[in-house]
Amino acid sequence: MSQNRSHAVMNQRHEAHDSLDDFPTPSWAVRALCEHVLPTKVLKSLFCWEPACNRGYMVRPLREYFGSVLATDIHNYGWDGQERVADFLFERPEIAIHNPDAIITNPPFRLAAQFALHALNVWKPDILALLVRTNFLEGKDRFETLFTPHPPMKVAQFVERVPMVRGRYAPEASTATSYAWIVWKRGARDTKFCWIPPCR
């Protein structure tokens, strides 16, 4: 039997340094965060920022739960819901017109730790949630620079696989890669683990 080596299936992928890491997020994975991980009842009063909005696949479901959602990205993908082009890692509160209660995104994998540290150290939102490959939890450097000084409130592991395909939205694809939401909440110091039940 031959091995399936499609981009949607392989756990290991290598992106070029200047890659946009264009892997759109299935909307159901965002609804899973809001329904099973976050305190759903209070979200309508919060302002959320999605700083890697791509073509809006995360923004649309986030707008079902949050009072307002700002959509930005380093690249203009041609989606008319993107409010502006901006590099999140260079955004600063003192020059911004927004002060988000929550930052929720699927960051470029090679920049996920930088996204987390920039959000936690510079923006300091009440809630930060990153959708990452589960193996993001591994690594001495991330343990020392991210997880030890900034322990997440929750690691929420999908029991189903979340398919993401390079350059196109394909929520029915298959994948061998497992994903989790990592959630930080201001003031939380103990990390809890939970499973996100089947909801695809």
Side-chain angles (χ1 to χ4, degrees):
M1 180 168 62
S2 65
Q3 181 182 11
N4 187 337
R5 300 185 60 81
S6 75
H7 285 294
V9 172
M10 296 303 291
N11 188 37
Q12 297 295 324
R13 72 171 191 249
H14 302 283
E15 292 296 302
H17 179 71
D18 60 351
S19 168
L20 292 172
D21 208 351
D22 179 10
F23 288 81
T25 308
S27 297
W28 67 266
V30 182
R31 293 187 183 99
L33 169 72
C34 297
E35 292 286 342
H36 298 288
V37 183
L38 298 180
T40 305
K41 292 181 180 177
V42 304
L43 300 184
K44 276 297 182 189
S45 65
L46 302 182
F47 170 41
C48 178
W49 181 16
E50 212 291 54
C53 70
N54 192 270
R55 297 171 191 85
Y57 297 110
M58 286 185 63
V59 174
R60 292 180 192 98
L62 285 172
R63 286 181 174 158
E64 297 169 11
Y65 295 91
F66 283 85
S68 60
V69 179
L70 173 69
T72 67
D73 203 302
I74 194 171
H75 177 73
N76 183 351
Y77 286 92
W79 173 57
D80 60 9
Q82 180 176 338
E83 282 140 279
R84 62 189 174 85
V85 173
D87 184 339
F88 176 68
L89 296 177
F90 289 93
E91 292 279 272
R92 296 289 185 276
E94 59 270 20
I95 61 171
I97 59 172
H98 53 276
N99 186 18
D101 302 301
I103 296 175
I104 298 176
T105 193
N106 174 3
F109 185 77
R110 66 183 174 81
L111 298 175
Q114 290 99 308
F115 263 62
L117 288 168
H118 185 68
L120 293 164
N121 291 327
V122 176
W123 287 94
K124 302 181 170 99
D126 291 331
I127 298 169
L128 170 66
L130 300 184
L131 179 62
V132 295
R133 298 194 314 231
T134 304
N135 63 4
F136 181 78
L137 295 167
E138 302 171 342
K140 180 176 179 287
D141 183 61
R142 281 190 288 268
F143 173 75
E144 292 177 346
T145 62
L146 176 59
F147 297 127
T148 297
H150 305 284
M153 174 190 74
K154 194 174 286 187
V155 174
Q157 174 67 49
F158 282 94
V159 301
E160 297 172 292
R161 295 296 167 92
V162 181
M164 290 185 242
V165 178
R166 183 196 303 272
R168 63 187 174 90
Y169 184 68
E172 300 307 317
S174 62
T175 181
T177 305
S178 71
Y179 285 87
W181 280 104
I182 303 182
V183 180
W184 288 263
K185 189 167 186 348
R186 195 190 314 204
R189 300 300 300 172
D190 296 321
T191 303
K192 296 181 180 177
F193 179 89
C194 71
W195 285 270
I196 297 176
C199 54
R200 178 173 172 176

